[in-house]
Amino acid sequence: MKNSDCLASAIAIMKYTGVWLPDNLQRRQKIAYIACGVVTQIFIFYFMIFAEIAYVYKHRHDVERMVDAAVLLLSHLVQAVKVMTVILRQESIKRLIDLGDGPDFTHADPKLRAIVDRAVKLTGLVGSLIICSAFVTSVFWCVVPALQDQLTLPLNTAYPFDTSGPYIFTAIYAYLSVSVTTVGMADAAENFLVSGLLMLAATQVDLLNQLLLDINAEGATVSYKKTVRCIMFHQRIIDYVKEIGRIFDVPIFCQCIVSSVILCMTVFKITVTREPIELVTMIFYLVCIFMELLMYCYPADVLLNKSLRVADAAFPGWSGDVNTARALVLIALRSQKPLTIDAGGMFRISLPTAALVVKTSYTYYALLQQTLSK
């Protein structure tokens, strides 16, 4: 089992949507895939975004309609940033995945291998559940208009042509249903790509702690060599986390900033809707948005806390020669600076960050309610 097996479902979704270039393609196959990917993204994704922007501009003086349309529009704009990040930095992401599968992060010790395998299986299961939840929410979103007394399109969009005719309305409805479902699953896959990489990094910190705990006084030379290997392993983990932050800092920053607004608008729609099915759909969507935020904040928080425990593992009551003790001091001192992911270089990603986003969204919601009441 490879360490990157937990990312298999996310990578498969991105391949099908034309975002992730498969390996080992010949030149003509690569050109054909890129061309199909560009057409797919423009037709299914960006054309839908332009229609949503046109609707918001058309109803820019109607606050309620703007709020209703902006819920998905903001999500799609942030997803556009994620898509461009994956496309433009794909080679760096693939090198990062290969590094996680390489000898630097693969251990022959059965005990360490068992820890990694459990983490990979659990992370892969969580990723599959997240993608399935995104699929269910997208299906609900597309089915709701068909169950209402007056049939409407799944999304609030505006087009430069009349969509009221029976044939064109059916075609637009089918197009939006396919787009919403595909884009929803792709967004979940792109989010989980970052989350899975962070969980793999946290697992490697677990292995480092275990290796430090296994250092004992069986001999000065052997203990010192083990400690040096731990120092090198620690540095590789640090470089690995820095690379994750360098690649994904912009989409993480955009997600955290926009999530507060999206949560606010979603809660507002839940409080004003009178349709039971739409209420269930919006609740599903609210859960998905919150899970989307936690997919960044929770693994980053786990990584942060585990990295702070490295110093405790370096000194488990062990005593030995002076050289080994000095090397362990270096690890302990370096671990005082936790492994973190900074969003756009402005703030640290962790569970307190998620709590702050929720608090900010409530402030926006209270302001929106006050504005509409006037």
Side-chain angles (χ1 to χ4, degrees), residues 3-272:
N3 296 344
S4 61
D5 285 350
C6 61
L7 305 173
S9 58
I11 292 176
I13 295 294
M14 289 188 290
K15 283 181 180 179
Y16 293 137
T17 55
V19 175
W20 191 269
L21 183 66
D23 297 325
N24 302 323
L25 290 181
Q26 297 180 357
R27 185 173 179 274
R28 291 184 178 180
Q29 293 174 326
K30 185 180 294 185
I31 294 175
Y33 179 86
I34 293 174
C36 290
V38 170
V39 172
T40 301
Q41 287 296 311
I42 291 176
F43 180 70
I44 290 184
F45 187 31
Y46 291 99
F47 183 67
M48 180 178 62
I49 290 180
F50 293 145
E52 289 176 314
I53 294 175
Y55 183 91
V56 171
Y57 179 78
K58 180 180 179 181
H59 300 282
R60 60 188 180 278
H61 300 300
D62 190 332
V63 177
E64 293 191 26
R65 285 193 174 186
M66 284 187 61
V67 169
D68 194 39
V71 172
L72 275 184
L73 174 59
L74 290 175
S75 295
H76 292 157
L77 291 176
V78 175
Q79 185 179 355
V81 176
K82 300 172 190 174
V83 169
M84 294 308 299
T85 299
V86 173
I87 292 176
L88 297 177
R89 299 184 174 180
Q90 189 162 139
E91 292 302 320
S92 298
I93 299 172
K94 287 184 176 181
R95 284 197 298 269
L96 202 62
I97 293 175
D98 291 339
L99 178 61
D101 289 333
D104 290 342
F105 293 105
T106 304
H107 304 271
D109 188 337
K111 182 170 63 175
L112 300 180
R113 189 66 246 176
I115 295 174
V116 175
D117 289 343
R118 284 196 300 269
V120 169
K121 290 179 181 178
L122 179 60
T123 305
L125 177 61
V126 171
S128 299
L129 291 176
I130 289 172
I131 293 175
C132 289
S133 67
F135 173 76
V136 172
T137 303
S138 301
V139 170
F140 265 101
W141 199 287
C142 299
V143 169
V144 165
L147 300 178
Q148 295 178 347
D149 295 335
Q150 183 179 359
L151 184 62
T152 58
L153 294 174
L155 292 181
N156 293 313
T157 51
Y159 300 95
F161 50 83
D162 183 19
T163 60
S164 59
Y167 296 108
I168 188 65
F169 181 87
T170 303
I172 295 296
Y173 193 102
Y175 159 73
L176 288 177
S177 299
V178 173
S179 297
V180 168
T181 305
T182 304
V183 169
M185 295 178 65
D187 189 30
E190 290 149 11
N191 289 326
F192 182 70
L193 175 65
V194 185
S195 181
L197 291 172
L198 290 174
M199 289 306 298
L200 289 177
T203 303
Q204 296 299 324
V205 176
D206 275 339
L207 300 186
L208 173 62
N209 291 337
Q210 186 61 51
L211 290 171
L212 289 170
L213 291 172
D214 289 342
I215 295 176
N216 50 50
E218 63 186 33
T221 303
V222 175
S223 298
Y224 180 71
K225 289 182 178 180
K226 286 184 177 181
T227 306
V228 170
R229 285 196 292 268
C230 287
I231 292 175
M232 297 172 64
F233 185 37
H234 191 200
Q235 186 59 49
R236 288 195 293 269
I237 296 174
I238 293 171
D239 295 338
Y240 185 81
V241 174
K242 284 182 178 179
E243 185 67 7
I244 295 176
R246 186 190 68 83
I247 294 173
F248 298 105
D249 59 342
V250 174
I252 293 176
F253 174 78
C254 294
Q255 184 65 58
C256 292
I257 294 299
V258 175
S259 289
S260 59
V261 181
I262 298 175
L263 287 171
C264 161
M265 294 179 176
T266 306
V267 172
F268 174 76
K269 287 196 67 176
I270 290 175
T271 58
V272 300

Side-chain angles (χ1 to χ4, degrees), residues 137 266 270 278-288:
T137 303
T266 306
I270 290 175
E278 185 180 11
L279 176 63
V280 173
T281 302
M282 295 311 300
I283 291 175
F284 264 102
Y285 185 69
L286 180 66
V287 172
C288 284

